[in-house]
Amino acid sequence: MADKRGSRVADRTDAIMRTTLELGQEVGYAKLSIEAVAARAGAGKHTIYRRWPSKGALFLDSLLSLNEPELNYPDTGDIEADLREQIHAAVDLLSKPPLGPLYQAVLVEAQQDPQVAEALNERFIGPQEEKTIARLRKARDQGQLSSDFDLSLAMALLSGPFYFQVLIARQPLTREYVDRVIEAVFAGIGPKAPPTAGG
Amino acid sequence: MADKRGSRVADRTDAIMRTTLELGQEVGYAKLSIEAVAARAGAGKHTIYRRWPSKGALFLDSLLSLNEPELNYPDTGDIEADLREQIHAAVDLLSKPPLGPLYQAVLVEAQQDPQVAEALNERFIGPQEEKTIARLRKARDQGQLSSDFDLSLAMALLSGPFYFQVLIARQPLTREYVDRVIEAVFAGIGPKAPPTAGG
Amino acid sequence: MADKRGSRVADRTDAIMRTTLELGQEVGYAKLSIEAVAARAGAGKHTIYRRWPSKGALFLDSLLSLNEPELNYPDTGDIEADLREQIHAAVDLLSKPPLGPLYQAVLVEAQQDPQVAEALNERFIGPQEEKTIARLRKARDQGQLSSDFDLSLAMALLSGPFYFQVLIARQPLTREYVDRVIEAVFAGIGPKAPPTAGG
Amino acid sequence: MADKRGSRVADRTDAIMRTTLELGQEVGYAKLSIEAVAARAGAGKHTIYRRWPSKGALFLDSLLSLNEPELNYPDTGDIEADLREQIHAAVDLLSKPPLGPLYQAVLVEAQQDPQVAEALNERFIGPQEEKTIARLRKARDQGQLSSDFDLSLAMALLSGPFYFQVLIARQPLTREYVDRVIEAVFAGIGPKAPPTAGG
DNA sequence: TCCTAAACGAGACGGTACGTCATGTCTTGTC
DNA sequence: GACAAGACATGACGTACCGTCTCGTTTAGGA
């Protein structure tokens, strides 16, 4: 954590994580082996096992070590536009090479390894959710969202459809598709009240 | 499918699929090995490889062989109520033991094995989507849904949030939560038009 | 045992034993690894472990598979001359390259692995002892040995000194040395009776 | 040897040797690891490697540090009786617990490590041989041994059979067996001259 | 009723990776 | 400066499965 950089320990940790990402991109997570990471990193297997309990943990750490350009919410005052921008950025980052396949692999691994799932939530999903909710709360207070809107549903409603599209339907996510979904989520799928004089 | 019952081939196929489900429930998909299935089923490994190209394919076939109680859309005339009922049923079936963990494992495998992904879509996700869209189209025609509603977004909007909650956030899906999500999807999260005289 | 030659099993067994001897001669028993044998023999490690419980067992089997030129006792009628010849042959075989170092390694391993010790005794030491005793018994019956001589001590008295010289004192065994020992064992180290008229 | 007692260096040396013997008796030499010795002795591995070049060297030193009750030859005037007593003592010490297994392990290690072999000969076998030969020379001079007897064969003839019995045949050494061997070595196995009047 | 060809169980096989252990060298910080 | 603690690269261990490949042995069906 607070390793003095330059220390032996931190050096090895970095080298191993870098190699993990490299190999991960080359052969995919499924075919990634600790054996191979150790060999290419010029590290002993034990040095890896000393730090990470499983391939999944190593891989997650490696990914998070990238400190990917923080997905920070813009705030232009227009919540729908801001959401669009934010989600476009997230989709670009997380569903496309080079990071996309790796991120999806982490999601997969999280299904099988509770430790990975927990770490993923604590270190990535959770923080993203906090930011999202903060931005949405402000928008709701400004009357840009329905006052009924339960913020705890935000991630499910706004991210769920995209995860579905990628993970389940396995369709590419175009910007146009993203925009249509956002629009539908804002408008709701229920019948529209006829336009009023004041609308 | 159309195996003459009583034939040796069908017998072996059934025994292997049954054993697969059994073992899958005992040790989980990740730790399931073809070796172990063969041993417990009293089958030769070759007999398994002759039929299925991969563990994922075997597992998916085994699951689908259950012919789970068809998730058929009710049609009471009230689309929101029907959706609620339908989704409650699906959630009960697919997110809870005994089938839930197995289904999630198939989803995971589909991420890694395109053949499984394709088969899953063709034989399960696709048909479900068709039924959903058919029911929603009828509702839209009856004015129970926004006439703007793009039906091709239906699965993403209505299933996505639940997949997210289970696969990503890893939270249990309560009926109450399901209802709140459905309500929000119908209402939309955007600001509400003020009630009109005609509303 | 009675493997049909040409069978897959016997082929592999032979190849592995041959490679073991080869490698054993190259790097010595201590540095011999099952890993390396498998690699060079083009065999899976499991194939080795399936047959032999330990490195020592494999090595002993490999050695014995040589069916070294049977150390059969000559019988010229002169027991001392026959013993000399027999022991010279044994010493040449078992204390000199190429077999010597390997045989000594087996002796060492037998100290550490009871299974190896037992097999060595059953398959090599024991049979040699039987032959030795048979020849000595005949000689004793013919009056060429002391009628007091306890045959069960034969191996200890006649082999022990040479094993000592090689294993403990670590001195080379010259023919001349062998002859001197044999002479001393025949004569005894006790004081001699003065020669008699009839002597 | 002449370590100032009380010095840190000697303290550590002693602790390590004591632990080595302890562990050696518990798990046997083969499974003894420097790692384990260091851990149990509360010593750094480096501290061990600084003093001993190999496991064998450490082990031999540890054994010799016991200063086992010197095997000194008695001299009652009767060489055969003295030899019996001396060999009984040696057999008791070196072939039975607690020291026996450790001594045998050193013999084994000497086969594999020339440094150990040399040290063993210089510090144990050699001195024993000197004492033995000195005693035998005296006896020969007194006419208690054959004047032909080549003293350089002494150890081989008198120790060899016992080492054989323990290391090769792996039989226990009873006192009765020891006596029979000694008798045979004195008498020789060759045919006896018929008793003479003067005999 | 026999014959033949496929399916089958059993499991050997060459591989790859696993996670563990011990080696001997090295670095760090304490006493 | 000796030390404990332990990180490190290396290399072997013995195990587990993989997917392919013989083996004989059922087991049907057609001759």
Side-chain angles (χ1 to χ4, degrees), chain A residues 22-35:
Chain A
E22 239 179 76
L23 265 176
Q25 279 174 297
E26 288 175 25
V27 304
Y29 176 79
K31 291 191 179 173
L32 185 66
S33 75
I34 289 188
E35 197 102 11

Side-chain angles (χ1 to χ4, degrees), chain A:
Chain A
M1 300 297 177
D3 283 330
K4 268 183 302 183
R5 292 293 138 175
S7 81
R8 198 160 45 140
V9 168
D11 278 1
R12 300 285 68 207
T13 302
D14 287 354
I16 291 165
M17 294 199 305
R18 240 176 300 117
T19 304
T20 300
L21 287 172
E22 239 179 76
L23 265 176
Q25 279 174 297
E26 288 175 25
V27 304
Y29 176 79
K31 291 191 179 173
L32 185 66
S33 75
I34 289 188
E35 197 102 11
V37 171
R40 182 179 301 188
K45 281 162 62 174
H46 193 49
T47 303
I48 299 182
Y49 283 112
R50 197 180 298 130
R51 290 169 169 67
W52 295 277
S54 66
K55 185 171 81 159
L58 163 61
F59 195 63
L60 176 59
D61 252 31
S62 301
L63 259 193
L64 294 178
S65 78
L66 285 179
N67 263 323
E68 72 283 341
E70 297 283 339
L71 292 170
N72 278 322
Y73 272 81
D75 185 351
T76 64
D78 176 348
I79 184 62
E80 194 169 341
D82 287 355
L83 269 178
R84 256 198 306 270
E85 184 172 331
Q86 168 71 3
I87 292 176
H88 283 317
V91 160
D92 283 352
L93 185 67
L94 301 178
S95 81
K96 294 178 181 164
L99 238 64
L102 304 185
Y103 180 63
Q104 287 171 45
V106 164
L107 292 179
V108 164
E109 191 59 22
Q111 306 306 315
Q112 292 159 331
D113 183 339
Q115 283 185 287
V116 171
E118 196 177 345
L120 177 64
N121 260 295
E122 265 178 37
R123 298 174 54 189
F124 183 71
I125 306 282
Q128 286 300 315
E129 180 167 16
E130 279 174 29
K131 288 185 208 162
T132 305
I133 288 182
R135 178 70 187 83
L136 290 172
R137 174 172 293 117
K138 188 172 167 199
R140 192 179 62 182
D141 291 348
Q142 294 173 339
Q144 295 189 350
L145 293 176
S146 162
S147 57
D148 292 342
F149 178 36
D150 179 348
L151 290 174
S152 73
L153 302 180
M155 291 299 279
L157 291 176
L158 284 165
S159 301
F162 306 115
Y163 279 105
F164 177 88
Q165 199 69 358
V166 170
L167 299 180
I168 314 298
R170 304 180 71 78
Q171 301 298 324
L173 280 185
T174 62
R175 299 208 150 216
E176 183 265 343
Y177 181 86
V178 170
D179 291 347
R180 273 161 53 213
V181 167
I182 293 176
E183 197 186 330
V185 171
F186 267 79
I189 68 175
K192 291 296 167 297
T196 62

Side-chain angles (χ1 to χ4, degrees), chain D residues 14 17 35 43 62 65 85 104 109 136 141 154 163 165 178 183 195 199:
Chain D
D14 286 354
M17 295 200 303
E35 199 97 12
S62 302
S65 78
E85 185 171 332
Q104 287 172 44
E109 189 60 21
L136 290 172
D141 291 347
Y163 279 104
Q165 199 69 357
V178 169
E183 198 187 330

